[in-house]
Coordinates of all heavy atoms in Angstrom, one line a residue:
T244 N 1.9 -4.7 15.8 CA 2.2 -4.2 17.2 C 1.3 -3.1 17.6 O 0.7 -2.4 16.8 CB 3.7 -3.6 17.2 OG1 3.8 -2.6 16.2 CG2 4.7 -4.7 16.9
P245 N 1.0 -2.9 18.9 CA 0.1 -1.9 19.4 C 0.5 -0.5 18.9 O 1.6 -0.2 18.8 CB 0.2 -2.0 20.9 CG 0.6 -3.4 21.1 CD 1.5 -3.8 20.0
V246 N -0.6 0.3 18.6 CA -0.3 1.6 18.1 C 0.4 2.4 19.2 O 0.0 2.3 20.4 CB -1.7 2.3 17.7 CG1 -1.5 3.8 17.4 CG2 -2.2 1.6 16.5
Q247 N 1.3 3.2 18.8 CA 2.2 4.0 19.7 C 1.6 5.4 19.9 O 1.9 6.3 19.1 CB 3.6 4.0 19.2 CG 4.2 2.6 19.1 CD 5.3 2.4 18.2 OE1 5.5 1.3 17.6 NE2 6.2 3.4 17.9
W248 N 0.9 5.6 21.0 CA 0.2 6.8 21.3 C 1.1 7.9 21.9 O 1.0 9.1 21.5 CB -1.0 6.6 22.1 CG -2.1 5.8 21.5 CD1 -2.3 4.4 21.6 CD2 -3.0 6.2 20.4 NE1 -3.4 4.0 20.8 CE2 -3.8 5.1 20.1 CE3 -3.2 7.5 19.8 CZ2 -4.8 5.2 19.1 CZ3 -4.2 7.6 18.9 CH2 -5.0 6.4 18.5
D249 N 1.9 7.5 22.8 CA 2.8 8.4 23.5 C 4.0 7.7 24.0 O 4.2 6.5 23.7 CB 2.1 9.2 24.6 CG 1.4 8.4 25.6 OD1 2.0 7.3 26.0 OD2 0.3 8.7 26.1
D250 N 4.8 8.3 24.9 CA 6.0 7.7 25.4 C 5.9 7.1 26.8 O 6.8 6.8 27.5 CB 7.2 8.6 25.3 CG 7.0 9.9 26.2 OD1 5.9 10.0 26.8 OD2 7.9 10.7 26.2
S251 N 4.6 7.0 27.2 CA 4.4 6.4 28.6 C 4.4 4.8 28.4 O 4.6 4.3 27.3 CB 3.0 6.8 29.1 OG 2.0 6.3 28.3
E252 N 4.2 4.1 29.5 CA 4.3 2.7 29.5 C 3.4 2.1 28.5 O 2.2 2.5 28.3 CB 3.9 2.1 30.9 CG 4.2 0.6 31.1 CD 3.9 0.1 32.5 OE1 3.4 0.9 33.3 OE2 4.1 -1.1 32.7
N253 N 3.9 1.1 27.8 CA 3.1 0.4 26.7 C 2.7 1.4 25.6 O 1.7 1.2 24.9 CB 1.9 -0.4 27.2 CG 2.3 -1.6 28.1 OD1 3.3 -2.2 27.8 ND2 1.6 -1.8 29.2
A254 N 3.4 2.4 25.5 CA 3.2 3.5 24.4 C 1.8 4.1 24.6 O 1.2 4.6 23.6 CB 3.3 2.9 23.0
G255 N 1.2 4.0 25.8 CA -0.1 4.6 26.1 C -1.2 3.8 25.5 O -2.4 4.2 25.5
F256 N -0.9 2.6 25.1 CA -1.9 1.7 24.5 C -2.8 1.1 25.5 O -4.0 0.9 25.4 CB -1.3 0.6 23.6 CG -2.3 -0.2 22.9 CD1 -2.9 0.2 21.7 CD2 -2.7 -1.5 23.4 CE1 -3.8 -0.6 21.0 CE2 -3.6 -2.3 22.7 CZ -4.1 -1.8 21.5
T257 N -2.2 0.7 26.6 CA -3.0 0.0 27.7 C -2.2 0.1 29.0 O -1.0 0.2 29.0 CB -3.2 -1.5 27.4 OG1 -4.0 -2.1 28.4 CG2 -1.9 -2.3 27.2
I258 N -3.0 0.0 30.1 CA -2.3 0.0 31.4 C -2.1 -1.5 31.8 O -1.5 -1.8 32.9 CB -3.1 0.7 32.5 CG1 -4.5 0.2 32.6 CG2 -3.1 2.2 32.2 CD1 -5.3 0.7 33.8
G259 N -2.7 -2.4 31.0 CA -2.5 -3.8 31.3 C -1.4 -4.4 30.5 O -0.4 -3.7 30.2
T260 N -1.5 -5.7 30.1 CA -0.5 -6.3 29.3 C -1.0 -6.5 27.9 O -2.0 -7.2 27.7 CB -0.1 -7.7 29.9 OG1 0.3 -7.5 31.3 CG2 1.0 -8.4 29.1
P261 N -0.4 -5.9 26.9 CA -0.9 -6.0 25.5 C -0.7 -7.4 25.0 O 0.1 -8.2 25.5 CB -0.1 -5.0 24.8 CG 1.2 -4.8 25.6 CD 0.8 -5.0 27.0
W262 N -1.5 -7.8 24.0 CA -1.4 -9.2 23.4 C 0.0 -9.4 22.8 O 0.4 -10.6 22.5 CB -2.5 -9.4 22.4 CG -2.2 -8.8 21.1 CD1 -1.6 -9.3 20.0 CD2 -2.5 -7.4 20.7 NE1 -1.5 -8.4 19.0 CE2 -2.0 -7.2 19.4 CE3 -3.0 -6.3 21.3 CZ2 -2.1 -6.0 18.7 CZ3 -3.1 -5.1 20.6 CH2 -2.7 -5.0 19.3
F263 N 0.7 -8.3 22.4 CA 1.9 -8.5 21.7 C 2.8 -7.3 22.1 O 2.4 -6.2 22.4 CB 1.6 -8.4 20.2 CG 2.8 -8.8 19.3 CD1 3.1 -10.1 19.2 CD2 3.5 -7.8 18.6 CE1 4.2 -10.5 18.4 CE2 4.5 -8.2 17.8 CZ 4.9 -9.6 17.7
P264 N 4.2 -7.5 22.2 CA 5.1 -6.5 22.7 C 5.0 -5.2 21.8 O 5.0 -5.3 20.6 CB 6.4 -7.1 22.6 CG 6.2 -8.6 22.6 CD 4.9 -8.8 21.9
V265 N 5.0 -4.1 22.5 CA 5.1 -2.8 21.9 C 6.5 -2.6 21.3 O 7.5 -3.1 21.8 CB 4.8 -1.6 22.9 CG1 5.1 -0.3 22.2 CG2 3.4 -1.7 23.4
N266 N 6.6 -2.0 20.1 CA 7.9 -1.8 19.5 C 8.7 -0.9 20.4 O 8.2 0.1 20.9 CB 7.7 -1.1 18.1 CG 9.0 -1.1 17.3 OD1 10.0 -0.8 17.7 ND2 8.8 -1.5 16.0
Y269 N 9.0 3.2 20.6 CA 7.9 4.1 20.9 C 8.2 5.4 21.6 O 7.4 6.3 21.5 CB 6.8 3.3 21.7 CG 7.1 3.1 23.1 CD1 6.7 4.0 24.1 CD2 7.7 1.9 23.6 CE1 6.9 3.8 25.4 CE2 8.0 1.7 24.9 CZ 7.6 2.6 25.8 OH 7.8 2.4 27.2
H270 N 9.4 5.5 22.2 CA 9.8 6.7 22.8 C 10.1 7.8 21.8 O 9.8 9.0 22.0 CB 11.0 6.5 23.7 CG 10.7 5.7 25.0 ND1 10.1 6.2 26.1 CD2 11.0 4.4 25.2 CE1 10.0 5.3 27.0 NE2 10.5 4.2 26.5
N273 N 5.8 8.2 18.1 CA 4.4 8.0 18.7 C 3.5 9.2 18.2 O 4.0 10.2 17.7 CB 4.5 8.0 20.3 CG 5.2 9.2 20.9 OD1 4.6 10.3 20.8 ND2 6.4 9.0 21.4

Side-chain angles (χ1 to χ4, degrees):
T244 56
V246 172
Q247 296 157 211
W248 294 101
D249 56 37
D250 60 1
S251 64
E252 187 178 2
N253 293 324
F256 184 82
T257 178
I258 58 172
T260 303
W262 79 92
F263 193 72
V265 175
N266 194 313
Y269 73 90
H270 291 284
N273 59 68

